[in-house]
Amino acid sequence: MSQQTQHFYEFGEYRIEAAERLLRRDDNVVSLPPKAIDLLLVMLESNGRVMTKEDLMAQVWADTFVEEANLSHNVFLLRKALGDAKNGAKYIETIPRRGYRFAADLTQNAADTNAFFAREQTRSRIVIEEEIEVDGALHTQKKKGDKISKRKPTAAIAVVLLLVIGSLLAYRYKGVENEINSVAAPVESIAVMPFANESGNSEIEYLSDGVTEALIGTLSQLPNLKVKARSSVFRYKGKDATPQTIGKELNVQAILNGHVVQHGDQLTFSLELIDAKTENVIWSDKYNRKQTDLVSLQNEIARDVSNKLQVKLSSRDEQKLAKHYPKNAEAYPLYLKGRYFWNKFTPADLQKAAEYFNQALTLDSDYALAYAGLADTYGASATNGWTPPKEAYRKGKEAAKKALEIDETLAPAHVALGAISMFSDFDWEVAEREYKHAIELDPNYELTYELYSYLLSALGRPDEALTMAQRGLGVDPLSALLSDDVAWAYYLERRYDQSIQQLQKTLELESDRAEAHLGLGNAYELKGRYEEAIAEYQKAISLSERTSNTLGFLGHAYAASGKRNEAIKIVNEMKGMSKQKYISPYDLAILYTGLGEKDKALEQLNTAYEERAGWVIYLKVEPVFDDLRPDPRFAALLRRLGLEN
């Protein structure tokens, strides 16, 4: 019988078992892809010696053509697993312009054919002793580098070695074939991760975020390619997650990582396209440009990525890649700043967004995306009661129409026009037509599903509303926004338990989402769980601002739970706020309804109709107004809205 012992290396808290190709920290297995383990074994056997990049590539990726980026990526994975700091590595040192060196104190133990297999698989040159008992005699062979010393080799040893080498060659051939196939097959799904701003300057965060979002939008135009939405990928911003983890969670084949460094007016973009399954680098490149060249750079990156994904582009597809960029290159950074502040989605940030979109349009009056961004900004500010609605809706409608005059195929502009038709004009037919057309143009644009579900709920079509919200969540399952929309559809259908369950899922995605806490407050209150509702409303306020929308519901909950004095304090607070900024009469109507002051509530609702206060579209279905429904004045208001029963 062959007596086999395990071959391993030990350093610090770590132990690597060569035959099993396992790295352990204490008794726990450290998760690493196979090539990272191979790389570590090669470096360990050369402990203390500088290994050039070429030598490492030749040994780890023998007989396989891969780019050098695979090496740097796997070194990164090793350092991360071993806890090496960037500038204070205690295990793997970078030797400038040469390669790498494993520098820690190392102990090792070697054994028989298992160690030989591990050594051959990584082309190691460690000293290996094999002791094989044949016919009662113990035979040992030592091998170091390419020099072999033999002591009475027998036919049995030769047979063992031939079997091992044959198995090894079959394994390696299969591995090479799999690697080549994984790169050769066209990629049909991708996640563009938030570009990392490595400039040490937070003021250009808009640039890294903006280029990410713009690239997502551009790649979404490509045929036969599913691109994950912004809301899904930005939840990973600033977090450590491996490509395999991201690939599994987002169900994509490839991950695109990017890094941005600014030096004066010079920008360096480093990109890396990674196979999510194998964590191999499919392609990497660096782009050095001036900031004024961002437009051409964005086009170039999109084309390069599409080529590496093996997406075949028609001339029409080529036009799609270029059409969303301005003629004046200086307008592009301004547009990116506008979108950066738009995504923060607070009253002050939306005001900044409008300023940047307008600045971009001053430089390029034919910039369709900037008009669409402006329409979104005016519309959202009006709907949420952050600015007087009538004037904002007028400006938003003009911007949306201008965007469509320039580019009729722009889905966000159709959605913006549909939203304003719904919230301001109460033109339900036009709004629905615009939403349907937007889905045809870009089925991945998540905002369409949100607003379309709002329309269907407002019209009293609850089953369709829920289906539309769920359809949106199907497009982007990790979107907290779309999860909220499903919960809201449940709430308006008076399915409060399902709404609560969905909102709890939302908070698993985004624990500090104010809108989710507001939704929980709504559902808890209608179930009579007032203390929980009040706590959720207060949580929502602490996470955002004391807007009239949340204050109205908080005051209603105080009144409904018998805390009338607290409710009246909220009324007085909102009246005081109205001297400084716009306060939605719709929100005051909610509060007065809770207090049982029906005349004041109906007066405020009529004002909300006249001013086009956004959420008045829900008058037919909002549960908090159930006490007002028997009043003929309420029915008359529904008729004016075109929402007759």
Side-chain angles (χ1 to χ4, degrees):
M1 294 290 294
S2 171
Q3 297 177 354
Q4 299 181 347
T5 58
Q6 180 78 342
H7 176 79
F8 61 85
Y9 291 99
E10 288 184 338
F11 54 93
E13 304 169 295
Y14 299 92
R15 171 191 176 108
I16 184 166
E17 299 168 3
E20 299 297 329
R21 299 170 77 231
L22 287 178
L23 176 66
R24 298 180 184 275
R25 181 179 182 182
D26 298 326
D27 293 327
N28 301 314
V29 174
V30 179
S31 178
L32 279 171
K35 286 299 180 186
I37 293 286
D38 291 347
L39 178 62
L40 181 57
L41 283 167
V42 171
M43 297 179 77
L44 289 175
E45 68 163 283
S46 304
N47 184 36
R49 182 165 63 87
V50 176
M51 297 286 288
T52 66
K53 293 180 180 180
E54 292 77 11
D55 195 10
L56 289 168
M57 293 282 288
Q59 294 194 48
V60 178
W61 286 274
D63 305 321
T64 306
F65 177 76
V66 294
E67 299 195 21
E68 188 179 298
N70 280 282
L71 175 61
S72 59
H73 178 65
N74 279 278
V75 170
F76 165 77
L77 293 177
L78 285 175
R79 282 177 166 160
K80 185 175 178 181
L82 299 175
D84 270 13
K86 281 186 177 180
N87 300 318
K90 60 181 179 179
Y91 294 121
I92 301 174
E93 292 182 350
T94 299
I95 309 301
R97 295 183 296 279
R98 294 182 64 190
Y100 302 97
R101 175 174 61 191
F102 192 88
D105 292 335
L106 188 67
T107 60
Q108 56 181 296
N109 184 14
D112 67 342
T113 53
N114 286 333
F116 176 83
F117 183 85
R119 181 192 71 224
E120 286 299 306
Q121 191 164 327
T122 58
R123 297 191 174 210
S124 61
R125 300 177 183 179
I126 55 177
V127 177
I128 296 176
E129 292 188 355
E130 293 176 325
E131 295 184 341
I132 304 175
E133 186 178 310
V134 180
D135 299 327
L138 189 65
H139 299 264
T140 302
Q141 75 170 11
K142 295 185 178 181
K143 187 173 183 178
K144 182 173 184 178
D146 296 325
K147 297 179 181 179
I148 302 176
S149 62
K150 298 180 180 178
R151 186 176 63 188
K152 297 180 181 178
T154 66
I157 297 175
V159 170
V160 171
L161 293 180
L162 284 172
L163 288 173
V164 171
I165 293 170
S167 300
L168 174 60
L169 288 173
Y171 170 85
R172 287 174 63 184
Y173 175 77
K174 184 178 180 181
V176 170
E177 182 181 43
N178 288 341
E179 281 195 23
I180 292 172
N181 287 340
S182 70
V183 174
V187 174
E188 297 177 349
S189 56
I190 186 173
V192 182
M193 304 311 293
F195 280 27
N197 170 21
E198 296 187 345
S199 299
N201 180 5
S202 60
E203 291 184 4
I204 70 159
E205 197 75 12
Y206 80 91
L207 193 61
S208 54
D209 284 5
V211 170
T212 306
E213 185 173 359
L215 194 54
I216 289 171
T218 301
L219 294 177
S220 295
Q221 303 297 314
L222 298 179
N224 304 317
L225 182 64
K226 295 180 179 179
V227 184
K228 281 299 170 182
R230 181 190 190 279
S231 58
S232 283
V233 298
F234 268 78
R235 62 193 292 268
Y236 293 96
K237 185 175 180 178
K239 298 178 181 177
D240 288 331
T242 66
Q244 280 188 346
T245 300
I246 296 170
K248 288 178 182 178
E249 291 180 352
L250 297 183
N251 192 27
V252 293
Q253 294 169 276
I255 308 293
L256 182 66
N257 289 327
H259 302 268
V260 184
V261 178
Q262 183 185 43
H263 300 288
D265 65 344
Q266 290 289 130
L267 295 171
T268 298
F269 285 82
S270 301
L271 272 71
E272 207 175 48
L273 186 64
I274 301 172
D275 185 314
K277 186 176 182 180
T278 65
E279 297 198 342
N280 285 338
V281 177
I282 301 172
W283 162 81
S284 66
D285 208 344
K286 280 190 177 181
Y287 302 82
N288 296 301
R289 298 288 191 280
K290 289 185 177 181
Q291 189 161 330
T292 52
D293 294 333
L294 268 176
V295 172
S296 61
L297 172 63
Q298 190 93 358
N299 270 325
E300 186 178 346
I301 291 174
R303 286 193 182 90
D304 287 349
V305 172
S306 64
N307 287 336
K308 296 302 176 182
L309 295 174
Q310 298 192 35
V311 178
K312 294 182 179 180
L313 301 180
S314 65
S315 58
R316 185 177 179 183
D317 296 327
E318 288 278 356
Q319 292 174 2
K320 283 183 179 180
L321 291 181
K323 73 187 303 181
H324 296 319
Y325 300 110
K327 296 174 183 177
N328 187 325
E330 294 181 5
Y332 188 50
L334 294 169
Y335 169 76
L336 294 182
K337 286 183 180 180
R339 275 298 173 194
Y340 176 76
F341 286 106
W342 154 262
N343 286 313
K344 289 179 175 290
F345 213 76
T346 69
D349 287 316
L350 259 62
Q351 185 176 349
K352 288 181 182 178
E355 292 171 2
Y356 282 116
F357 289 139
N358 276 313
Q359 288 177 35
L361 290 167
T362 299
L363 294 176
D364 189 341
S365 59
D366 290 328
Y367 193 4
L369 272 180
Y371 281 115
L374 200 58
D376 285 342
T377 304
Y378 286 136
S381 296
T383 302
N384 287 283
W386 298 339
T387 189
K390 269 193 172 181
E391 181 65 11
Y393 280 135
R394 182 188 65 77
K395 291 180 178 179
K397 192 172 188 177
E398 289 176 358
K401 286 185 172 181
K402 184 65 177 176
L404 292 173
E405 286 176 13
I406 299 167
D407 183 2
E408 202 281 332
T409 68
L410 199 58
H414 283 285
V415 174
L417 183 59
I420 293 171
S421 298
M422 175 175 72
F423 285 115
S424 179
D425 302 338
F426 311 124
D427 193 332
W428 315 109
E429 185 177 341
V430 168
E432 187 162 14
R433 184 180 68 232
E434 292 296 327
Y435 296 149
K436 286 181 176 178
H437 190 38
I439 291 174
E440 291 173 358
L441 291 169
D442 185 358
N444 291 321
Y445 187 54
E446 61 180 24
L447 196 58
T448 315
Y449 300 97
E450 176 180 45
L451 290 163
Y452 198 175
S453 69
Y454 288 176
L455 171 81
L456 295 167
S457 287
L459 293 176
R461 294 156 60 181
D463 292 341
E464 293 176 74
L466 182 59
T467 297
M468 186 58 61
Q470 289 172 332
R471 185 177 167 187
L473 192 58
V475 170
D476 192 1
L478 297 180
S479 169
L481 170 73
L482 295 172
S483 180
D484 272 350
D485 295 336
V486 173
W488 182 242
Y490 278 131
Y491 167 78
L492 292 176
E493 201 177 347
R494 292 164 167 73
R495 295 167 64 177
Y496 304 126
D497 288 333
Q498 289 97 323
S499 182
I500 291 168
Q501 290 172 6
Q502 187 64 45
L503 288 163
Q504 288 169 342
K505 293 179 182 178
T506 302
L507 291 172
E508 289 176 6
L509 296 170
E510 191 177 322
S511 60
D512 57 353
R513 184 170 176 80
E515 294 86 345
H517 289 286
L518 176 61
L520 279 174
N522 295 150
Y524 284 143
E525 183 180 353
L526 271 296
K527 282 179 66 67
R529 295 162 61 175
Y530 297 117
E531 291 304 316
E532 291 169 276
I534 290 169
E536 292 296 336
Y537 290 142
Q538 290 173 335
K539 180 70 171 177
I541 290 171
S542 71
L543 290 169
S544 55
E545 298 180 24
R546 295 184 75 82
T547 60
S548 64
N549 179 239
T550 311
L551 288 172
F553 280 114
L554 176 60
H556 186 281
Y558 278 141
S561 63
K563 298 179 179 181
R564 189 175 181 83
N565 289 338
E566 284 84 348
I568 291 173
K569 287 180 183 178
I570 297 292
V571 172
N572 292 331
E573 180 182 354
M574 292 175 71
K575 287 182 177 179
M577 291 167 61
S578 68
K579 297 176 183 178
Q580 307 295 327
K581 60 182 180 181
Y582 178 77
I583 295 296
S584 172
Y586 180 82
D587 299 330
L588 279 169
I590 290 173
L591 215 167
Y592 283 129
T593 301
L595 286 166
E597 299 185 24
K598 294 183 180 180
D599 290 342
K600 289 184 178 180
L602 286 163
E603 180 184 348
Q604 291 297 327
L605 285 176
N606 275 288
T607 302
Y609 167 80
E610 295 294 340
E611 293 184 359
R612 301 306 196 254
W615 305 116
V616 75
I617 66 167
Y618 290 127
L619 205 59
K620 181 176 181 176
V621 292
E622 171 58 71
V624 299
F625 293 127
D626 283 353
D627 288 346
L628 301 180
R629 298 191 188 284
D631 195 301
R633 292 172 293 178
F634 189 86
L637 185 54
L638 286 179
R639 285 194 294 274
R640 294 174 72 189
L641 285 162
L643 295 172
E644 300 94 336
N645 290 319

